[in-house]
Amino acid sequence: MAENTRRDFIKTAAGTAALLAYPPASVLGASDRVRVGMIGVGARGQELLKQLLAVPNAQLVAIADIYSRRRDEAAEFAPGIHALDDHRRLLDMKDVDAVIVASPLHLHARHFLDVVAAGKDLYCEKTMTWSITEAEQCLRAAEKTDRVIQIGLQHESSGALADAKKWIKDGLLGKVTQVESWMSRNTPHGKGQWVRTVPSECTPQNVNWQAFLNGRPDRPFDANKFINWRLFWEFSGGNITENMVHQIAWITSALDLPLPSAAYMTGGVFSEKDGREVPDTIAVTLDFPNEVVVTWQSTFSNSRYGLGERLLGSDGTIEHVAGATDMVTGNSDEVTRYFPEKINRANGAPLVSETKDQNHMANWIDCVRSRKAPNAPVEIGYRSAVAAHMANLAYRRKERVTLQSAKTLAA
Ligand SMILES: NC(=O)c1ccc[n+]([C@@H]2O[C@H](COP(=O)([O-])OP(=O)(O)OC[C@H]3O[C@@H](n4cnc5c(N)ncnc54)[C@H](O)[C@@H]3O)[C@@H](O)[C@H]2O)c1
């Protein structure tokens, strides 16, 4: 988020927070409220904070961030919260029941495992982990605990997914052998996708650089890497872990796909020549053992077709599209539709998804209270993370990667 947008957002959100930070006693008794802490209160963390403050039976009690600016911003949102500089102090707090993790990707596994070990329920941003090895560790930890864990794959709570699953279960697609998916963006000339201005007070005095590195090779403070971590492999998986993961999770859930058997990925840094390592132009192919091939394409220098997924079956197609520019009206809509294949379903009628989305954050809080499984449990976090890391491994090694070889390479 650009700094001025972030400031405007904080101004509005601070007003909202003053009303919502502490729900009135009439909403729910103190013992029924879920007391929440958050680790990492940057751009996404502040969006999630706003979402959390709008859930009536949740109460934000503490945040932890290693950058003083983010602690100050969080305190503006929710006056009176504990703003800590070490996530371990937050996990020591007895009056924190559940924790949201919105730190950079390379820290997810550390924070995930620490939260679960502390006996707290967890909402962990996507991608669940930075590597396959870490995904295995988190899956194992989740299997050994009764904590409620939601992954920040919010499209798992979409009404369109619920409808797609029903249409598939009802046999409207027949045999699906291929899925095509894509995601595209653009920025003005000279401005790179994702690039954030480094604030002037982002200095070693205001940031715990060692905690950011979390065991990665030591080096002098690098403000650009701290703020723009998304551009570098050490901390990020690029657009594969930022965006493909959402769409692969959605496709995986709709078709109940297992882990891919193989991945291929090509592309490069073709449009964003700003020193980044992660590619801006991408073509991925994922093979699944149940005779399905999924492709995903992405560019950062053309946004006309927005994003979408098409599930191609012998008896019908499910198409979800969003953000494409209509050539006539110039508008863009999000819609999920079903089209019958007339040669196999002569009397089939087209359908449009109308089921409303669920609020992903509220679904987590509800599940923390009911102890039910949330909409994006660890299993989908795991499958989508492994698929994403297989693709990146194939790109970086310039070769086809099988599930077997990916697990060996990751070990
Ligand atoms: N679900 C979605 O749609 C969605 C959207 C955007 C981002 N995200 C995810 O959210 C995560 C955060 O992204 P962002 O854009 O907010 O990044 P960011 O850099 O803006 O925020 C990360 C925050 O974590 C803090 N941090 C770093 N190391 C820490 C540590 N050791 N302990 C505590 N705090 C630490 C930083 O100071 C910063 O405030 C990423 O994993 C990203 O993929 C998800």
Side-chain angles (χ1 to χ4, degrees), residues 1 6 38-48 64-71 73 84-87 101-108 110-111 123-127 151-155 196 206-214 225-230 235 238 241-243 245-246 360:
M1 190 188 290
R6 185 199 291 271
M38 181 184 285
I39 302 173
V41 194
R44 181 59 178 170
Q46 293 182 22
E47 285 170 11
L48 294 177
D65 200 294
I66 57 159
Y67 180 18
S68 57
R69 181 191 182 100
R70 303 298 173 233
R71 293 194 293 277
E73 289 170 350
L84 307 161
D85 60 7
D86 185 332
H87 78 281
V101 168
S103 48
L105 180 65
H106 70 294
L107 288 155
H108 286 186
R110 163 82 195 266
H111 292 149
Y123 182 113
C124 179
E125 257 309 338
K126 55 71 354 204
T127 295
I151 307 302
L153 292 161
Q154 64 271 19
H155 305 289
R196 294 173 177 174
N206 295 331
V207 173
N208 183 343
W209 176 237
Q210 293 305 325
F212 173 79
L213 288 178
N214 188 40
K225 286 208 167 146
F226 176 67
I227 295 291
N228 287 307
W229 57 266
R230 255 183 193 74
F235 314 113
T241 51
E242 287 302 312
N243 288 301
V245 70
H246 280 300
H360 200 58

Side-chain angles (χ1 to χ4, degrees), residues 176-180 285-288 290-295:
V176 177
T177 60
Q178 188 161 48
V179 178
E180 47 188 45
T285 305
L286 297 171
D287 291 346
F288 287 85
N290 50 339
E291 302 182 335
V292 181
V293 173
V294 176
T295 60

Side-chain angles (χ1 to χ4, degrees), residues 75-116:
E76 268 190 64
F77 267 99
I81 54 157
H82 295 275
L84 307 161
D85 60 7
D86 185 332
H87 78 281
R88 291 168 299 182
R89 300 293 79 77
L90 183 144
L91 298 180
D92 290 340
M93 290 177 66
K94 296 275 176 292
D95 57 350
V96 169
D97 306 310
V99 177
I100 299 170
V101 168
S103 48
L105 180 65
H106 70 294
L107 288 155
H108 286 186
R110 163 82 195 266
H111 292 149
F112 182 120
L113 295 169
D114 285 357
V115 169
V116 171

Side-chain angles (χ1 to χ4, degrees), residues 11 20 37 79 106 138 218 239 254 259 285 299 314 340 346 367 385 399:
K11 251 194 265 162
L20 297 171
H106 70 294
C138 290
D218 199 7
N239 207 22
L259 294 176
T285 305
T299 166
S314 56
C367 292
E399 64 186 24

